[in-house]
C-alpha cells in the first residue's frame, strides 16, 4: 500500500494508536483499507462501524464517518445505517468477544437478513482490552485470566456460524495470510449481502504471554502452521485421515448470491 | 348528556369492534364526542371480552365508564362478569340465546346470534345485528351514523351482508320496544 | 385543512410520526405498544420510509441510532421490559447527541407484570435509567389528539436538542380511541447543520453542536467514549469529561422552562392537583363536576426536564396532590422543589386509572 493511500484513509491526527507492539489488528486494518481503496470507494461514501474492544477502536483511526458503538451491538447500529441509506458502503470491525458473546444474537440475525455490509472480525481468541479474559473463541486448554486452569468450553467457529445463519460470503484467514486476507476482504466488499471475514490475529500481550507464545513471531508462526486449507481438510476427511485437534481451517467458506437487504438500488 | 355503553361477550364475537363502530358513529357522523376503551387479557379467543364507549355532546374528560346506562351482553360469562350487577336504572340488551340469566334492570332480549345464523347465514354478523338493535332501542346514535360507521369498518365485499345484519337489528330493536 | 378521525392512541402516535417526517422505524413487538410497530410496518413502505423488525429492543434502539446518523427521523416503540433493555444504548444516544424518539406505552411492572394494563412506572427510568449523569426530554399525552401532537413535538425537540426524546404514554391512552383532528401538515424543525470550520462536537452558543450527517463529507467520528470537540476519545481527562457531561445535561436543564408544556388552572387554589397522562382527565372531570369549588390543576405535557417554576404559579397553594400510576415517582420530584407546602402522593397500582370520586374525596379530606 502506498504512503498516499495510508495518508488518505487514516486520520493522521489520531496517531499514535493504542495497539500494543506486535498486535495483529493493524495488519487487518491495512488489509481492509487496501481492499476498500481497490474498490474505488470514496471516503465520504464509506462508513466504518464497530462495537467495543481492541478491534473496535479501528474506525477511530480511519478518515471516514465512523460509529464506535456499544459492546456487541455494532451490527444493530450498522443495520440502521445501511437500511436508512443503502448508498453508503458499510464496513464493521468487531472482535471475537464483541461479535460472538455479547453480540451473538445480532450476528446471526444480521447474517440471516443478509444485510449488504462487510463484517471483519479480528479474532484474537481473548478479551484483549480488559486484560485477557476468556472468550467464546479461546481454544480449549488455553490460559486466560478467567480460565486460569485452561479453557474448558467448546469454541464457536464464527465462519461456519455465518454460513449457517445465511451470510452470502464467509472466509477465514489470519494476520499471517496477508495476500489471502486482502483478497477475501475484497471479495466480501464486492459480494452483495452480508460478507463475513474472520481474521485470526496474534495478541502477544493478553494471549501469547500466557500461552507460551510470548514472541510475536511465535504466535504468527503458530497461526501459519496450524491453519489448514478447507480443501485440504476435505481431502483428509475423504481419505478417512485424522485431523489434529489444534488445527483450524482457513479459506472461503461460502460465496453465494441469496437475496440481500440494504443493497443500493 | 353523558352516556356510557358497556359491551361484553366472548373473544372472537367482535365485541371490541362493536364498541369501535358505535364510538365512530357518534364521533364522526353524529358530531358528538366518544371514547372507546377495552379490557383484554392474553387470550385471543374465548374469555370474557369487555369494551366500553362513552358518548357525550361535550368533550369527554374521564374516559372510563363509571356507571354504564346501557349494557350490551352477548355471553353468559360476560353477563356474570359485567352484567349481573347492572343498576336498576340501566338498560340492557342481551343475546337471548347465549345469555341464560336475566338482570334486575330493564332489558331487551335480542336473538342476535340466531338471526345471524338462521336469517343471514353468517353467525359472524351477530354483533352487527346487536348493534342495530342497540341503536333503535336506545337512540344512542342515529341510524345514518351507525350505517356510515359500519360501512367504514367492515371488510370490502361484506358491506351488503353487514348492512342487512344492521337493518335486521334495527327491526329487532324496534319490535322489542313495542 | 384538517381531517377528523376516530382513532386509537397508538395509531395516532404513528400518524404524528409520519406527519413529522419519520422515515425509519426499528422495533420489536411488545404489548401494549405493538399496534405502533404494526402500523409502521403497514405505512413505511408506502411513504418511502424503512420499517425493520429487529431481533430485540437492544437492536431496535441501536438501529434507530444508526439510522439517525444518516439523517433519518428515527423512532422505536416499546413497553417496560423492552424499555429496560434499551437503557445502555439510550445512554449512548445521550453521549453521542443522537436525536431519536422512543415511545413507551407503559404497562404494569416490575418484570413481565401486567402486559395489558396501564401504568406509569417508568417515569424515573426514562430520566435516570441509563448509567451516568444524563438529561433527556419526556412528553406525556393524556388524549389521543396529544398522542399525535406530542409525537410531532418529540421529533422536533429531539432534533433541536440532539437528545433522545421519550413519549411516555401508557396502555390507557395508547389503546383508547377517540376523535382527533389531523392537520394536512405540521411544523417541522430541521436539525441544525454544522457551521463551516467548526469541529464535529464543538457546541455553539446554545450548547448544541450542528449535526454532521453521515455521507455528507463531515468525516465525523462518533463514540460513546468521553470525547473532545473533534469527536476523538479522550477518556482519562477529568476536566474534559466534566465539561462534556455538564454540557450534555445543561443544554437540556438550562432550558427547562422554555421546553415546558403545561396547563395551569385555578392558580389561586389552595389545593392543587399535579397530573400527567390519564389522571389529567380524571382531575378535569373533578373540576367539571365541582365548578363552584376552586381546585387547582397543573397538567404537565412535558415532565422531563421538570419545570419546577410551574409550581410557583399556584401562589396560594397549601397542598399538592399527585395522582399517578406508580408509587409516587413524580411526587418525589415535586417534593424536592417545594418548601412549606404539603405534597400528597396518590400512587395507584393494578392497571386501572384513578376515579373522579376517589380524587374528589382526597380534596375534601385535605380541606
Amino acid at each position: 500500500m502506498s504512503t498516499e493511500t495510508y495518508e488518505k484513509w487514516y486520520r493522521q491526527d489520531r496517531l499514535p494508536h493504542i495497539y500494543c507492539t506486535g498486535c495483529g489488528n493493524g495488519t487487518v486494518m491495512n488489509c481492509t483499507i487496501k481492499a476498500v481503496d481497490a474498490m474505488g470507494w470514496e471516503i465520504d461514501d464509506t462508513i466504518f462501524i464497530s462495537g467495543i474492544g481492541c478491534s473496535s477502536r479501528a474506525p477511530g483511526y480511519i478518515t471516514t464517518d465512523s460509529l464506535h458503538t456499544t459492546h456487541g451491538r455494532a451490527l444493530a447500529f450498522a443495520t440502521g445505517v445501511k437500511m436508512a441509506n443503502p448508498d453508503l458502503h458499510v464496513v464493521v470491525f468487531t472482535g471475537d468477544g464483541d461479535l460472538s458473546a455479547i453480540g451473538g444474537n445480532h450476528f446471526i440475525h444480521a447474517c440471516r437478513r443478509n444485510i449488504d455490509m462487510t463484517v471483519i472480525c479480528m479474532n484474537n481468541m481473548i478479551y484483549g482490552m480488559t486484560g485477557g479474559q476468556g472468550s467464546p473463541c479461546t481454544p480449549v486448554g488455553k490460559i486466560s485470566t478467567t480460565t486460569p486452569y485452561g479453557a474448558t468450553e467448546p469454541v464457536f467457529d464464527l465462519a461456519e456460524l455465518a454460513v449457517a445463519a445465511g451470510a452470502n460470503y464467509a472466509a477465514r484467514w489470519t494476520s499471517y495470510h496477508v495476500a489471502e486476507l486482502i483478497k477475501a476482504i475484497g471479495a466480501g466488499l464486492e459480494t452483495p449481502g452480508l460478507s463475513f471475514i474472520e481474521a485470526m490475529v496474534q495478541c502477544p500481550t493478553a494471549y501469547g504471554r500466557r500461552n507460551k507464545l510470548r514472541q510475536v513471531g511465535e504466535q504468527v508462526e503458530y497461526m501459519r502452521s496450524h491453519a489448514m486449507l478447507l480443501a485440504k481438510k476435505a481431502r483428509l476427511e475423504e481419505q478417512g485421515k485424522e485431523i489434529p485437534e489444534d488445527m483450524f481451517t482457513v479459506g472461503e467458506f461460502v460465496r453465494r448470491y441469496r437475496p440481500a437487504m440494504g443493497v443500493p438500488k | 348528556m353523558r352516556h356510557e355503553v358497556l359491551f361484553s361477550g366472548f373473544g372472537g364475537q367482535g365485541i371490541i369492534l362493536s364498541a369501535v363502530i358505535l364510538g365512530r358513529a357518534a364521533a364522526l357522523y353524529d358530531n358528538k364526542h366518544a371514547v372507546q376503551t377495552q379490557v383484554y387479557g392474553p387470550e385471543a379467543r374465548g374469555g370474557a371480552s369487555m369494551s366500553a364507549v362513552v358518548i357525550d355532546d361535550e368533550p369527554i374528560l374521564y374516559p372510563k365508564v363509571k356507571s354504564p346506562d346501557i349494557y350490551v351482553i352477548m355471553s353468559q360469562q360476560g353477563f356474570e362478569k359485567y352484567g349481573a350487577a347492572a343498576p336498576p336504572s340501566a338498560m340492557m340488551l342481551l343475546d337471548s340465546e347465549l345469555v341464560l340469566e336475566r338482570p334486575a334492570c330493564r332489558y331487551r332480549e335480542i336473538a342476535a346470534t340466531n338471526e345471524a345464523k338462521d336469517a343471514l347465514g353468517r353467525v359472524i354478523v351477530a354483533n352487527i345485528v346487536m348493534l342495530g338493535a342497540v341503536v333503535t332501542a336506545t337512540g344512542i346514535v342515529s341510524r345514518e351514523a351507525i350505517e356510515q360507521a359500519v360501512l367504514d369498518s367492515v371488510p370490502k365485499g361484506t358491506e351488503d351482508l353487514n348492512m342487512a345484519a344492521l337493518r335486521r337489528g334495527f327491526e329487532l330493536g324496534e319490535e322489542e320496544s313495542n | 385543512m384538517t381531517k377528523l378521525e376516530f382513532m386509537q392512541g397508538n395509531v395516532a402516535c404513528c400518524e404524528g410520526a409520519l406527519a413529522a417526517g419519520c422515515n425509519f422505524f426499528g422495533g420489536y413487538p411488545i404489548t401494549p405498544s405493538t399496534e405502533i410497530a404494526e402500523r409502521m410496518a403497514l405505512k413505511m413502505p408506502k411513504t418511502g420510509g424503512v420499517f425493520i423488525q429487529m431481533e430485540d429492543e437492544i437492536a431496535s434502539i441501536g438501529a434507530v441510532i444508526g439510522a439517525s446518523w444518516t439523517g433519518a427521523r428515527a423512532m422505536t416503540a416499546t413497553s417496560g421490559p423492552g424499555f429496560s433493555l434499551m437503557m445502555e444504548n439510550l445512554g449512548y444516544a445521550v453521549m453521542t447527541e443522537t436525536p431519536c424518539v422512543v415511545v413507551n406505552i407503559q404497562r404494569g411492572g416490575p418484570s413481565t407484570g401486567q402486559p395489558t394494563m396501564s401504568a406509569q412506572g417508568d417515569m424515573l427510568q426514562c430520566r435516570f435509567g441509563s448509567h451516568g449523569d444524563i438529561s433527556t426530554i419526556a412528553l406525556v399525552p393524556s388524549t389521543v389528539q396529544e398522542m399525535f401532537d406530542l409525537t410531532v413535538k418529540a421529533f422536533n425537540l429531539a432534533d433541536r436538542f440532539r437528545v433522545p426524546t421519550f413519549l411516555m404514554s401508557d396502555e390507557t391512552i395508547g389503546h383508547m380511541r377517540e376523535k382527533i383532528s389531523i392537520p394536512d401538515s405540521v411544523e417541522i424543525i430541521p436539525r441544525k447543520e454544522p457551521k463551516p470550520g467548526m469541529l464535529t462536537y464543538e457546541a455553539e452558543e446554545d450548547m448544541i453542536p450542528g449535526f454532521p450527517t453521515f455521507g455528507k463529507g463531515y468525516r465525523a467520528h462518533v463514540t460513546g467514549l468521553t470525547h473532545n470537540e473533534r469527536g476523538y476519545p479522550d477518556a482519562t481527562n477529568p476536566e474534559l469529561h466534566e465539561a462534556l457531561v455538564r454540557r450534555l445535561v445543561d443544554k437540556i436543564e438550562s432550558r427547562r422552562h422554555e421546553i415546558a408544556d403545561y396547563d395551569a388552572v385555578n392558580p389561586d387554589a389552595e389545593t392543587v392537583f399535579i397530573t400527567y397522562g390519564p389522571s389529567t382527565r380524571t382531575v378535569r372531570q373533578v373540576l367539571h363536576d365541582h365548578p363552584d369549588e376552586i381546585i387547582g390543576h397543573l397538567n404537565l405535557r412535558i415532565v422531563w426536564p421538570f419545570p419546577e417554576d410551574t409550581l410557583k404559579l399556584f401562589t396560594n397553594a397549601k397542598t399538592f396532590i399527585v395522582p399517578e400510576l406508580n408509587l409516587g415517582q413524580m411526587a418525589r420530584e415535586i417534593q424536592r422543589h417545594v418548601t412549606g407546602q404539603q405534597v400528597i402522593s396518590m400512587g395507584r397500582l393494578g392497571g386501572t386509572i384513578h376515579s373522579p370520586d376517589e380524587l374528589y374525596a382526597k380534596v375534601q379530606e385535605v380541606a
Side-chain angles (χ1 to χ4, degrees):
Chain A
M1 190 153 62
S2 70
T3 314
E4 209 177 304
T5 313
Y6 277 121
E7 283 176 358
K8 179 176 152 195
W9 286 93
Y10 285 119
R11 294 179 188 265
Q12 305 300 316
D13 58 351
R14 281 280 280 131
L15 298 174
H17 56 69
I18 62 161
Y19 296 136
C20 303
T21 306
C23 173
N25 289 358
T27 308
V28 180
M29 283 177 71
N30 284 346
C31 292
T32 305
I33 289 303
K34 195 159 182 184
V36 165
D37 195 64
M39 287 291 289
W41 289 0
E42 297 292 331
I43 287 173
D44 293 334
D45 298 336
T46 308
I47 314 290
F48 281 88
I49 298 175
S50 63
I52 293 292
C54 292
S55 63
S56 294
R57 290 300 189 99
Y61 301 113
I62 297 171
T63 313
T64 66
D65 289 322
S66 54
L67 203 54
H68 175 223
T69 72
T70 51
H71 196 24
R73 319 300 174 194
L75 291 173
F77 287 80
T79 297
V81 169
K82 186 63 180 173
M83 293 306 293
N85 186 352
D87 291 333
L88 298 172
H89 306 295
V90 173
V91 182
V92 175
F93 281 125
T94 181
D96 47 310
D98 192 52
L99 184 74
S100 74
I102 189 166
N105 201 33
H106 308 305
F107 180 37
I108 60 176
H109 285 281
C111 291
R112 174 182 64 82
R113 293 188 184 103
N114 211 8
I115 296 184
D116 187 28
M117 59 174 81
T118 301
V119 181
I120 298 163
C121 177
M122 303 173 187
N123 179 358
N124 59 6
M125 303 173 283
I126 203 98
Y127 285 84
M129 184 155 274
T130 45
Q133 297 74 36
S135 89
C137 296
T138 303
V140 173
K142 299 299 180 187
I143 306 296
S144 75
T145 61
T146 52
T147 58
Y149 308 109
T152 55
E153 298 177 10
V155 301
F156 254 144
D157 186 324
L158 302 180
E160 292 282 16
L161 193 57
V163 175
N168 261 356
Y169 183 86
R172 174 161 57 224
W173 293 100
T174 81
S175 53
Y176 169 80
H177 302 88
V178 169
E180 292 87 344
L181 189 55
I182 295 168
K183 216 172 136 191
I185 294 170
L189 299 175
E190 267 174 23
T191 308
L194 194 134
S195 298
F196 176 68
I197 295 100
E198 180 180 357
M200 307 291 293
V201 290
Q202 71 277 16
C203 174
T205 308
Y207 182 85
R209 189 160 51 94
R210 297 191 177 88
N211 288 290
K212 299 186 178 123
L213 298 164
R214 195 170 283 270
Q215 297 301 314
V216 175
E218 288 171 357
Q219 203 180 347
V220 175
E221 169 55 24
Y222 180 92
M223 289 192 294
R224 187 198 67 77
S225 57
H226 288 74
M228 181 183 283
L229 286 168
L230 282 166
K232 184 177 179 187
K233 185 187 175 218
R235 203 162 60 236
L236 291 176
E237 278 172 346
E238 208 175 293
Q239 295 164 356
K241 288 187 180 156
E242 204 174 313
I243 297 155
E245 266 183 22
D246 57 353
M247 299 292 281
F248 61 91
T249 48
V250 293
E252 185 174 291
F253 285 65
V254 75
R255 191 194 303 215
R256 59 193 170 195
Y257 297 89
R258 289 182 178 175
M261 289 172 67
V263 179
K265 292 196 176 94
Chain B
M1 169 94 187
R2 182 179 172 114
H3 289 285
E4 299 185 348
V5 188
L6 184 149
F7 292 80
S8 183
F10 52 82
Q13 258 180 331
I15 290 298
I16 290 172
L17 180 63
S18 298
V20 173
I21 293 173
L22 183 63
R24 187 175 180 86
L28 296 187
Y29 299 112
D30 273 349
N31 201 26
K32 294 183 178 180
H33 293 272
V35 173
Q36 178 268 334
T37 57
Q38 62 217 4
V39 169
Y40 68 110
E43 56 283 272
R45 295 288 181 268
S49 170
M50 191 281 263
S51 185
V53 187
V54 180
I55 296 174
D56 202 336
D57 300 318
E58 305 291 316
I60 291 157
L61 305 174
Y62 183 65
K64 299 278 184 175
V65 291
K66 288 180 287 191
S67 176
D69 48 349
I70 301 170
Y71 286 78
V72 184
I73 306 293
M74 293 187 68
S75 74
Q76 175 60 21
Q77 206 184 338
F79 179 85
E80 288 165 13
K81 195 161 178 186
Y82 296 104
S89 60
M91 162 77 180
M92 184 180 295
L93 283 89
L94 50 83
D95 190 304
S96 49
E97 184 192 20
L98 300 182
V99 179
L100 307 176
E101 292 173 68
R102 295 296 177 260
C105 67
R106 288 185 300 145
Y107 65 92
R108 305 268 171 85
E109 297 180 343
I110 306 292
T113 300
N114 270 347
E115 282 293 325
K117 246 186 331 202
D118 301 342
L120 299 155
R122 293 293 304 277
V123 69
I124 195 155
V125 293
N127 63 331
I128 303 296
V129 174
M130 188 57 109
L131 206 45
V134 169
V135 169
T136 47
T138 69
I140 183 83
V141 298
S142 67
R143 288 187 186 213
E144 295 71 27
I146 200 79
E147 283 174 356
Q148 280 299 322
V150 167
L151 286 174
D152 286 351
S153 309
V154 299
K156 282 210 166 34
T158 68
E159 292 92 342
D160 290 348
L161 172 68
N162 278 289
M163 291 317 282
L166 188 68
R167 288 182 185 135
R168 184 64 194 127
F170 288 161
E171 290 167 15
L172 292 174
E174 280 175 332
E175 279 169 21
E176 288 288 333
S177 63
N178 289 334
Chain C
M1 273 295 288
T2 59
K3 192 171 59 169
L4 285 182
E5 294 275 6
F6 186 68
M7 189 175 270
Q8 193 195 51
N10 281 348
V11 174
C13 169
C14 296
E15 293 301 317
L18 294 165
C22 174
N23 51 1
F24 186 92
F25 184 95
Y28 187 84
I30 182 167
T31 304
S33 76
T34 306
E35 294 84 2
I36 298 177
E38 290 172 340
R39 182 80 172 184
M40 292 310 245
L42 193 68
K43 288 280 189 164
M44 278 301 195
K46 294 181 177 175
T47 58
V50 175
F51 168 88
I52 186 161
Q53 183 170 324
M54 296 300 290
E55 53 272 23
D56 57 31
E57 289 87 348
I58 299 173
S60 299
I61 184 65
V64 161
I65 294 168
S68 182
W69 276 97
T70 71
R73 278 201 145 181
M75 174 172 116
T76 187
T78 189
S79 188
F83 198 58
S84 292
L85 285 177
M86 290 183 184
M87 284 301 132
E88 187 197 4
N89 280 346
L90 284 168
Y92 179 86
V94 170
M95 190 61 146
T96 56
E97 302 180 70
T98 310
C100 56
V101 172
V102 177
V103 180
N104 182 350
I105 308 299
Q106 293 171 86
R107 63 191 234 183
S111 190
T112 312
Q114 294 181 291
T116 61
M117 302 293 277
S118 205
Q120 296 177 306
D122 310 344
M123 298 311 298
L124 291 180
Q125 190 184 20
C126 84
R127 174 67 185 81
F128 296 108
S130 196
H131 57 279
D133 286 290
I134 62 169
S135 197
T136 57
I137 300 174
L139 305 89
V140 186
S142 64
T143 64
V144 172
Q145 183 72 51
E146 284 181 353
M147 284 294 268
F148 180 95
D149 296 343
L150 295 187
T151 302
V152 173
K153 186 166 184 158
F155 276 99
N156 285 336
L157 289 167
D159 273 347
R160 165 140 189 252
F161 290 98
R162 285 190 62 178
V163 73
T165 299
F166 301 100
L167 189 79
M168 295 297 288
S169 189
D170 67 284
E171 191 276 335
T172 298
I173 306 298
H175 276 164
M176 104 182 3
R177 286 178 179 83
E178 64 186 333
K179 182 153 67 176
I180 77 162
S181 123
I182 296 184
D184 278 349
S185 66
V186 298
E187 186 190 19
I188 292 177
I189 302 166
R191 266 176 224 179
K192 185 169 71 175
E193 284 176 29
K195 290 212 170 83
M198 287 188 84
L199 299 174
T200 317
Y201 276 97
E202 192 177 344
E204 296 180 25
E205 269 181 23
D206 61 0
M207 289 185 270
I208 302 160
F211 189 85
T213 307
F214 279 7
K216 304 273 188 207
Y218 293 112
R219 303 186 178 181
H221 179 57
V222 179
T223 178
L225 283 163
T226 296
H227 45 270
N228 60 25
E229 289 182 331
R230 185 69 188 82
Y232 294 164
D234 188 359
T236 54
N237 179 337
E239 293 78 21
L240 178 71
H241 181 81
E242 175 152 9
L244 173 61
V245 176
R246 280 191 186 278
R247 177 175 69 75
L248 296 179
V249 170
D250 287 350
K251 73 176 179 180
I252 307 296
E253 293 300 327
S254 68
R255 289 204 189 77
R256 60 192 180 280
H257 300 300
E258 176 195 329
I259 295 170
D261 186 352
Y262 59 91
D263 309 303
V265 176
N266 290 339
D268 300 334
E270 294 187 355
T271 302
V272 179
F273 280 105
I274 303 179
T275 62
Y276 55 96
S279 48
T280 292
R281 301 177 69 125
T282 312
V283 169
R284 285 179 179 158
Q285 186 73 54
V286 170
L287 267 62
H288 174 271
D289 294 346
H290 303 278
D292 299 335
E293 297 183 44
I294 300 175
I295 304 167
H297 182 199
L298 175 64
N299 167 46
L300 298 173
R301 275 181 291 270
I302 291 188
V303 296
W304 303 117
F306 186 77
E308 80 272 12
D309 280 4
T310 55
L311 302 175
K312 296 179 197 141
L313 298 170
F314 297 87
T315 44
N316 299 332
K318 289 184 178 158
T319 306
F320 291 111
I321 306 174
V322 190
E324 48 186 336
L325 303 181
N326 55 48
L327 291 182
Q329 297 192 5
M330 293 309 295
R332 177 190 289 251
E333 176 70 14
I334 292 158
Q335 181 73 64
R336 78 187 189 93
H337 295 294
V338 302
T339 42
Q341 294 117 327
Q342 188 186 11
V343 176
I344 298 177
S345 166
M346 283 187 79
R348 182 184 179 87
L349 302 178
T352 60
I353 68 174
H354 297 82
S355 72
D357 292 348
E358 183 185 355
L359 297 191
Y360 185 61
K362 184 59 81 175
V363 174
Q364 289 179 308
E365 186 189 310
V366 167

